[in-house]
Amino acid sequence: MRLHIDVTMDYQLTGHDTVLLTLEAAQTDGQTVIESTLDVAGADLRWIDVKGMPGRRVWAHVTSDRMQLQYRALVEVTRTTAVLESLAATPMRDLPGDVVSYLRPSRFCQSDLLTEFATQQFRGLEGGARIAAILDWARSEIAYVPGSSTATTSAVDSFIARKGVCRDYAHLVCSLARAGNIPARYTSAYGAEVNPPDFHAVAEVWLEGAWHLVDATGMCRAADLVVIGSGRDASDVAFMETEDWARPLWQKVDVRRV
C-alpha cells in the first residue's frame, strides 16, 4: 500500500529562531520512502540522526519571524499487522542493549506509578496477550476527547482523568507495558484514517525479538501507518520544537491512500 503525505505549516515565531522538526517519514523496516521533499521558506536546514531513536530530525534556522513549511512524501508500506496473542515476550536476559532503556519510566510514561494497577488488572497474562488486554482496557476505559489534554499531560494524568487524545493513549500503553516488563516506545506516525487529520501517536512493543506497532485509539492498523520517529515519550519526537514562543497560524496534515 502507498500513502501520499502532504503537510503545510505556517507559524509566527519570536524573531529569528532555530526550529527542530521531526515530521519526515522514516526509512525503516516495513516502509520505503519513494519520494520526499521538505521546503522551509528562507531557512537553512541541517539533518541529524539521534542515536538509539529511529527517525531523522532536521534543524531549521529560520531567518525571519515566520516559519512557512511544506512537506510532501510518497511512502510504500509493506509491514503486516501481527496477531498479538501469538507473540511471546522476550526474556529480559535476551533484550538488546538499545531496547533495555524502553523498560524504564520516563517523563510522560511513569510506569513505576502504575505497576500495582498493571499487576492486578493483567494478572496471568504475558507477552502479546498482555498487550492485547492493555489495548482493550484503554479502548473501553479511556474516552477520546479532542482538546482534553495539554503538552504537559502524563500517562498518570490520563489514567486519572479517563480521557485524552492519541498522545495520551500511546503514553498509557507504553507505561502499562513497561510496568509488566515489556519494552515499549512512543512512536509518531501518519495514518490515512486519523480523525481529525493530524500527526498521530501510537506505541511500539518489543515481542519475539522485534518491534510491533499498536494503536490503542483503534484508528489505524500497523499496516496502515507511516512511522516518523520513536522515543521514550512525546518529548523525544515532538513534530516541532522552538527556542522561544511560537504561534500557529495555519496547519494542515493530509494523508491519502494512492
Side-chain angles (χ1 to χ4, degrees), residues 83-162:
V83 178
L84 286 173
E85 290 83 354
S86 69
L87 300 174
T90 301
M92 293 186 67
R93 65 178 180 275
D94 294 332
L95 293 176
D98 60 350
V99 172
V100 171
S101 62
Y102 295 108
L103 282 172
R104 311 283 184 249
S106 62
R107 165 66 179 83
F108 294 111
C109 298
Q110 311 104 309
S111 52
D112 53 329
L113 301 182
L114 294 172
T115 300
E116 184 175 351
F117 169 79
T119 299
Q120 295 298 324
Q121 183 69 30
F122 308 112
R123 184 181 299 278
L125 297 174
E126 298 181 356
R130 190 180 184 95
I131 296 300
I134 290 172
L135 296 175
D136 288 342
W137 177 87
R139 289 167 185 162
S140 64
E141 295 294 327
I142 308 298
Y144 191 95
V145 182
S148 61
S149 60
T150 69
T152 63
T153 301
S154 70
V156 169
D157 296 328
S158 302
F159 179 81
I160 294 170
R162 289 295 201 270

Side-chain angles (χ1 to χ4, degrees), residues 58-95:
V58 57
W59 286 111
H61 178 61
V62 183
T63 55
S64 70
D65 62 356
R66 193 93 170 260
M67 187 195 76
Q68 295 174 298
L69 176 155
Q70 183 81 52
Y71 172 64
R72 291 190 177 97
L74 179 63
V75 184
E76 183 167 9
V77 181
T78 56
R79 79 175 63 83
T80 58
T81 300
V83 178
L84 286 173
E85 290 83 354
S86 69
L87 300 174
T90 301
M92 293 186 67
R93 65 178 180 275
D94 294 332
L95 293 176

Side-chain angles (χ1 to χ4, degrees), residues 142-217:
I142 308 298
Y144 191 95
V145 182
S148 61
S149 60
T150 69
T152 63
T153 301
S154 70
V156 169
D157 296 328
S158 302
F159 179 81
I160 294 170
R162 289 295 201 270
K163 59 185 177 181
V165 293
C166 61
R167 174 185 187 274
D168 309 303
Y169 280 79
H171 282 155
L172 261 175
V173 171
C174 287
S175 300
L176 293 171
R178 293 176 195 175
N181 292 322
I182 298 174
R185 64 189 185 186
Y186 178 101
T187 296
S188 58
Y190 293 110
E193 304 302 326
V194 175
N195 187 28
D198 205 344
F199 296 101
H200 196 41
V202 297
E204 284 186 275
V205 293
W206 183 267
L207 296 168
E208 289 196 7
W211 289 109
H212 299 274
L213 289 162
V214 293
D215 184 2
T217 70

